[in-house]
Amino acid sequence: MLRYVALKIGRALFVVWAAFTLTFVLLFVLPANPVDLLFDPAEINAIPPEVRERVAANYGFNKPVILQYLDRLGHALTGDFGNSVQSGRPVTAAILDMLPSTLVLASGALALALLIAFVIAFVATSTRREWVRNLVEALPSGAVSVPVFLSGILILQIFSFRLGWFPAFGDEGAKSVVLPLVTLAIPVSGPIAQLLVRSFATEFHSGYVTTSWAKGATRSGIIIGDVFRNASLPALTIASITFGNLIAGSVITETVFARKGIGRLTQTAIDTLDVPLVQGIVVFVAAIFALINLIVDLNYPLLDPRLRATLAVSTPRAA
Amino acid sequence: MTDAATVPREVTDSPEEEQDPLLRITDLAIDYRTGRRQWTPAVRGASLHVDTGEFVSLVGESGSGKTTLIQGALGLLPTSARIRAGSIAYSGVDVTGWNDQRMALVRGNYVGFIPQDPNTSLNPVKKIGQQVIEAVRFNEPKAGNAAQHKEAALESLRTAGLKDTERVFQQYPHELSGGMKQRALIAVALAGKPKIIVADEPTSALDVTVQKVILDHLVGLREELGIGILLVTHNLGVALDRSDRILVMQDGEIVEEGPVRQVLGNATNDYTRRLLDAAPARHIGRLEPTSGAPSMPAAASAVLEARVLTKTYHLRGRGRRRELRALDTTDLVVRKGTTHAIVGESGAGKSTLASILVGFTSADSGTVHIGGRELTGLHRSQLRQIRRDLQFVFQNPFTSLDPRFTVSKIIAEPLHAFGLATSKQERTARVVELLKAVALDESYLHRLPSQLSGGQRQRVAIARALALNPEILVLDEAVSALDVSVQAQILQLLVDLQAQFGLSYVFVTHDLGVVRLISDDVTVMKGGVVVETGSVEQVFRSPQHEYTRELLAAIPGARVALAGAS
């Protein structure tokens, strides 16, 4: 068991480290002159060479690459990713400022997506009417095929401009989060729903369900009591992987709805070539992604007794 | 759940209880939807009845409609099936066309069901106790409390023949053996205190010795609880050994019905007679090749020789390494032109041995010699050359053939792999020749595996194995997945091919009954160790080891054999 936990934690740490190293190579090593990236492209020619040199020394660009890397890694371990080139604020502070708003959006969207997916799977499994099942099963692929920017604009048009139910943009009040949440949740719910519909159907026709029928269980009793837990296990994995997509998806959603958050921060950071900030964001997102996957992995044995058994092989069992 | 009590009372307390059988199916016809408006009949006007305290067996091969019939009786038909005509009545109460809600009151309460495969029929994430308690709770006449439920569930587990019930109660399905799982399922079926139990092939996924114990227990339950039992099986031997009455089903119809003695003594139906003849227990000696019998040289030279093979699997885990000794100092000698059977139950190490013989797995120590060449420790490329002389036929013909290859492509694949018969005509000629050898004709050349029956598929698999003119065929449970009548044909084919090409067989099986038909020598294995080896005659006549005797006693069909001999 301990070995399993250590393995999973090790894997999570590796993901974060790999993200850091990769961004370091891409942003600090590969560009011809990383110093150029530190200035606003519009003013780059107006900067006197001695200033450039001072800045380069400041950032340590005159040192060998490996020393730069170790230096940055050391700082990153203490949560220091340097200062944003644009605002001059520490990168960590800038990200932490924006993080809550994006986390609310992303976790809300994930919860909503799971809800939609489970409703679709429940309806598809429990209905006795063929046409209802066919209709419901077609929804996931529909949800995936509509891009976020399109559905976002559509939702804005209807619920904000026509009906005036929700504000079109901004981030004041609970109401403002509704439309971005829905926009973000719909495409994400598609793959989860598709997987769930399939695993519900498979489990619903498995042997133990027949046993339950024969016990005298009712249809709803079987779906809730037997199918639900067995069918949900694979959905858990895909939901945790999807969380990464949600943060990526927030770039567009936050832009469309003009909300502050990691997505907007990323967009401006890339626009202005704010290298330390970009690296900080990438590592942060990777860390969150790794953390969520770690939580899911650690919860798996609690949900599936078979996995618990394979992990506990070291303890002798009665044959 | 309040009306749960009322309906079954209506079922059981009906005034006709004395006269009416527990289950009566009358002229039942069930169709499957095969197209938009197309229906294919699966059951055509079948009738049967089971009385109190009666053990009735329904026998048929795959596709005969026996499972559909009982699914219909339990109201568990898939959505693509419909009941076209006929009626199902439990103690005189007609339940035909009842919806799930109403049938839920009959199922468990009045009729218990024991499913086919214990390994998939229990919910993997729930404890056994909870699954039995559910069955108790769904079917109790008036709501009890948790303690009463638990007591009833434990009682049910005890009745099902489980010993350490308190421990099993707390265990998950994966922690139990197949036989224990089947007992847990019997407990689930008994928990509702049913009047009749329907068992669909309850032992076909279990080892023979376990099969015997479970079936004997069912017979005991019938006497102890006075319930009716309807056993569905493909194994005529199993049915004849225990039943009061037998029904034989073919192609959706019941073709034979009667007490066991009558069916054995003078079966009126042609198909029943064929089934009886195909039963392995009917045959006393080895099958003779149809082309006339060439005498087996008694002291033929060894063509395959395995010496002190050992294989240990290391299981994952930290600290003390858990090890599984799959094979322990095992010897095996196969004489040229003869068949050597390896017999054992699951976990005996027979499949490990077979895969070491052909080089799929490597042994930890020991040697394998094939006609003087040593197989162990060869390079991949050298092993490849030896594979020409050593071919393998797999257990399941439904998964061992590529579903997208035509028959001709499947059989030509080894030729292609070894660069033989390069021109197209040559190759086709060889494929046709091979098809003829396994008694199929040219019309099969362009068919896909999905268009073949199980027996035809296994013939194609054998043709593929013969393509390189091997000396030795390793057959791993090659007839286990087939129906008895098909099994008999394939066994005959193997015997004929052996006589024709002088092949040597290594025949891995769990079924001692089949061994007698095809083998010259037999090796009995248990837990990775050879417990007995010798000629078939010697081992069957005077088994030396306790385990061999146990296996021999568990072969179903003692009554068939007796009737055949008389």
PDB file of all heavy atoms in Angstrom, chain B residues 127-139:
ATOM      1  N   LYS B 127     -19.744  -6.618  -0.510  1.00  0.00           N
ATOM      2  CA  LYS B 127     -19.427  -7.813   0.259  1.00  0.00           C
ATOM      3  C   LYS B 127     -20.509  -8.873   0.051  1.00  0.00           C
ATOM      4  O   LYS B 127     -21.677  -8.538  -0.189  1.00  0.00           O
ATOM      5  CB  LYS B 127     -19.332  -7.462   1.746  1.00  0.00           C
ATOM      6  CG  LYS B 127     -18.093  -6.668   2.067  1.00  0.00           C
ATOM      7  CD  LYS B 127     -18.015  -6.333   3.532  1.00  0.00           C
ATOM      8  CE  LYS B 127     -16.729  -5.568   3.810  1.00  0.00           C
ATOM      9  NZ  LYS B 127     -16.765  -4.879   5.094  1.00  0.00           N
ATOM     10  N   ILE B 128     -20.100 -10.143   0.176  1.00  0.00           N
ATOM     11  CA  ILE B 128     -21.027 -11.258  -0.020  1.00  0.00           C
ATOM     12  C   ILE B 128     -22.254 -11.093   0.885  1.00  0.00           C
ATOM     13  O   ILE B 128     -23.400 -11.235   0.452  1.00  0.00           O
ATOM     14  CB  ILE B 128     -20.337 -12.603   0.309  1.00  0.00           C
ATOM     15  CG1 ILE B 128     -19.134 -12.827  -0.602  1.00  0.00           C
ATOM     16  CG2 ILE B 128     -21.323 -13.754   0.210  1.00  0.00           C
ATOM     17  CD1 ILE B 128     -19.474 -13.076  -2.029  1.00  0.00           C
ATOM     18  N   GLY B 129     -21.986 -10.765   2.163  1.00  0.00           N
ATOM     19  CA  GLY B 129     -23.068 -10.643   3.134  1.00  0.00           C
ATOM     20  C   GLY B 129     -24.130  -9.672   2.661  1.00  0.00           C
ATOM     21  O   GLY B 129     -25.334  -9.966   2.683  1.00  0.00           O
ATOM     22  N   GLN B 130     -23.666  -8.510   2.196  1.00  0.00           N
ATOM     23  CA  GLN B 130     -24.613  -7.496   1.750  1.00  0.00           C
ATOM     24  C   GLN B 130     -25.456  -7.997   0.583  1.00  0.00           C
ATOM     25  O   GLN B 130     -26.654  -7.729   0.507  1.00  0.00           O
ATOM     26  CB  GLN B 130     -23.831  -6.252   1.342  1.00  0.00           C
ATOM     27  CG  GLN B 130     -24.673  -4.997   1.320  1.00  0.00           C
ATOM     28  CD  GLN B 130     -23.958  -3.871   0.598  1.00  0.00           C
ATOM     29  OE1 GLN B 130     -22.740  -3.882   0.463  1.00  0.00           O
ATOM     30  NE2 GLN B 130     -24.723  -2.889   0.150  1.00  0.00           N
ATOM     31  N   GLN B 131     -24.807  -8.760  -0.319  1.00  0.00           N
ATOM     32  CA  GLN B 131     -25.548  -9.237  -1.489  1.00  0.00           C
ATOM     33  C   GLN B 131     -26.597 -10.266  -1.095  1.00  0.00           C
ATOM     34  O   GLN B 131     -27.652 -10.346  -1.720  1.00  0.00           O
ATOM     35  CB  GLN B 131     -24.566  -9.813  -2.517  1.00  0.00           C
ATOM     36  CG  GLN B 131     -23.543  -8.779  -2.931  1.00  0.00           C
ATOM     37  CD  GLN B 131     -22.753  -9.165  -4.167  1.00  0.00           C
ATOM     38  OE1 GLN B 131     -23.303  -9.683  -5.125  1.00  0.00           O
ATOM     39  NE2 GLN B 131     -21.468  -8.910  -4.160  1.00  0.00           N
ATOM     40  N   VAL B 132     -26.303 -11.055  -0.072  1.00  0.00           N
ATOM     41  CA  VAL B 132     -27.309 -12.024   0.375  1.00  0.00           C
ATOM     42  C   VAL B 132     -28.413 -11.299   1.153  1.00  0.00           C
ATOM     43  O   VAL B 132     -29.601 -11.596   0.981  1.00  0.00           O
ATOM     44  CB  VAL B 132     -26.666 -13.125   1.245  1.00  0.00           C
ATOM     45  CG1 VAL B 132     -27.701 -14.163   1.629  1.00  0.00           C
ATOM     46  CG2 VAL B 132     -25.528 -13.794   0.499  1.00  0.00           C
ATOM     47  N   ILE B 133     -28.014 -10.326   1.969  1.00  0.00           N
ATOM     48  CA  ILE B 133     -29.011  -9.557   2.734  1.00  0.00           C
ATOM     49  C   ILE B 133     -30.019  -8.900   1.797  1.00  0.00           C
ATOM     50  O   ILE B 133     -31.222  -8.906   2.066  1.00  0.00           O
ATOM     51  CB  ILE B 133     -28.309  -8.502   3.618  1.00  0.00           C
ATOM     52  CG1 ILE B 133     -27.720  -9.189   4.855  1.00  0.00           C
ATOM     53  CG2 ILE B 133     -29.279  -7.409   4.047  1.00  0.00           C
ATOM     54  CD1 ILE B 133     -27.042  -8.267   5.813  1.00  0.00           C
ATOM     55  N   GLU B 134     -29.511  -8.358   0.680  1.00  0.00           N
ATOM     56  CA  GLU B 134     -30.429  -7.744  -0.295  1.00  0.00           C
ATOM     57  C   GLU B 134     -31.508  -8.732  -0.702  1.00  0.00           C
ATOM     58  O   GLU B 134     -32.695  -8.398  -0.742  1.00  0.00           O
ATOM     59  CB  GLU B 134     -29.662  -7.302  -1.534  1.00  0.00           C
ATOM     60  CG  GLU B 134     -28.994  -5.962  -1.381  1.00  0.00           C
ATOM     61  CD  GLU B 134     -28.105  -5.645  -2.567  1.00  0.00           C
ATOM     62  OE1 GLU B 134     -28.168  -6.371  -3.576  1.00  0.00           O
ATOM     63  OE2 GLU B 134     -27.347  -4.668  -2.454  1.00  0.00           O
ATOM     64  N   ALA B 135     -31.069  -9.958  -1.007  1.00  0.00           N
ATOM     65  CA  ALA B 135     -32.021 -10.975  -1.442  1.00  0.00           C
ATOM     66  C   ALA B 135     -33.025 -11.282  -0.335  1.00  0.00           C
ATOM     67  O   ALA B 135     -34.203 -11.535  -0.593  1.00  0.00           O
ATOM     68  CB  ALA B 135     -31.291 -12.242  -1.869  1.00  0.00           C
ATOM     69  N   VAL B 136     -32.556 -11.242   0.914  1.00  0.00           N
ATOM     70  CA  VAL B 136     -33.462 -11.468   2.033  1.00  0.00           C
ATOM     71  C   VAL B 136     -34.462 -10.326   2.118  1.00  0.00           C
ATOM     72  O   VAL B 136     -35.674 -10.514   2.231  1.00  0.00           O
ATOM     73  CB  VAL B 136     -32.669 -11.566   3.363  1.00  0.00           C
ATOM     74  CG1 VAL B 136     -33.622 -11.633   4.544  1.00  0.00           C
ATOM     75  CG2 VAL B 136     -31.760 -12.778   3.349  1.00  0.00           C
ATOM     76  N   ARG B 137     -33.924  -9.115   2.030  1.00  0.00           N
ATOM     77  CA  ARG B 137     -34.735  -7.917   2.241  1.00  0.00           C
ATOM     78  C   ARG B 137     -35.811  -7.737   1.157  1.00  0.00           C
ATOM     79  O   ARG B 137     -36.935  -7.379   1.452  1.00  0.00           O
ATOM     80  CB  ARG B 137     -33.812  -6.699   2.263  1.00  0.00           C
ATOM     81  CG  ARG B 137     -34.319  -5.515   3.029  1.00  0.00           C
ATOM     82  CD  ARG B 137     -33.162  -4.631   3.477  1.00  0.00           C
ATOM     83  NE  ARG B 137     -32.132  -4.486   2.470  1.00  0.00           N
ATOM     84  CZ  ARG B 137     -32.196  -3.621   1.453  1.00  0.00           C
ATOM     85  NH1 ARG B 137     -33.239  -2.834   1.314  1.00  0.00           N
ATOM     86  NH2 ARG B 137     -31.209  -3.552   0.583  1.00  0.00           N
ATOM     87  N   PHE B 138     -35.443  -8.040  -0.081  1.00  0.00           N
ATOM     88  CA  PHE B 138     -36.408  -7.864  -1.176  1.00  0.00           C
ATOM     89  C   PHE B 138     -37.604  -8.789  -1.027  1.00  0.00           C
ATOM     90  O   PHE B 138     -38.661  -8.535  -1.563  1.00  0.00           O
ATOM     91  CB  PHE B 138     -35.749  -8.148  -2.539  1.00  0.00           C
ATOM     92  CG  PHE B 138     -34.738  -7.124  -2.945  1.00  0.00           C
ATOM     93  CD1 PHE B 138     -33.666  -7.476  -3.741  1.00  0.00           C
ATOM     94  CD2 PHE B 138     -34.862  -5.801  -2.545  1.00  0.00           C
ATOM     95  CE1 PHE B 138     -32.726  -6.537  -4.134  1.00  0.00           C
ATOM     96  CE2 PHE B 138     -33.936  -4.853  -2.926  1.00  0.00           C
ATOM     97  CZ  PHE B 138     -32.863  -5.223  -3.712  1.00  0.00           C
ATOM     98  N   ASN B 139     -37.392  -9.918  -0.355  1.00  0.00           N
ATOM     99  CA  ASN B 139     -38.391 -10.973  -0.438  1.00  0.00           C
ATOM    100  C   ASN B 139     -39.074 -11.311   0.874  1.00  0.00           C
ATOM    101  O   ASN B 139     -39.824 -12.266   0.951  1.00  0.00           O
ATOM    102  CB  ASN B 139     -37.744 -12.235  -1.000  1.00  0.00           C
ATOM    103  CG  ASN B 139     -37.189 -11.990  -2.381  1.00  0.00           C
ATOM    104  OD1 ASN B 139     -37.914 -11.570  -3.266  1.00  0.00           O
ATOM    105  ND2 ASN B 139     -35.904 -12.205  -2.561  1.00  0.00           N
TER     106      ASN B 139
END
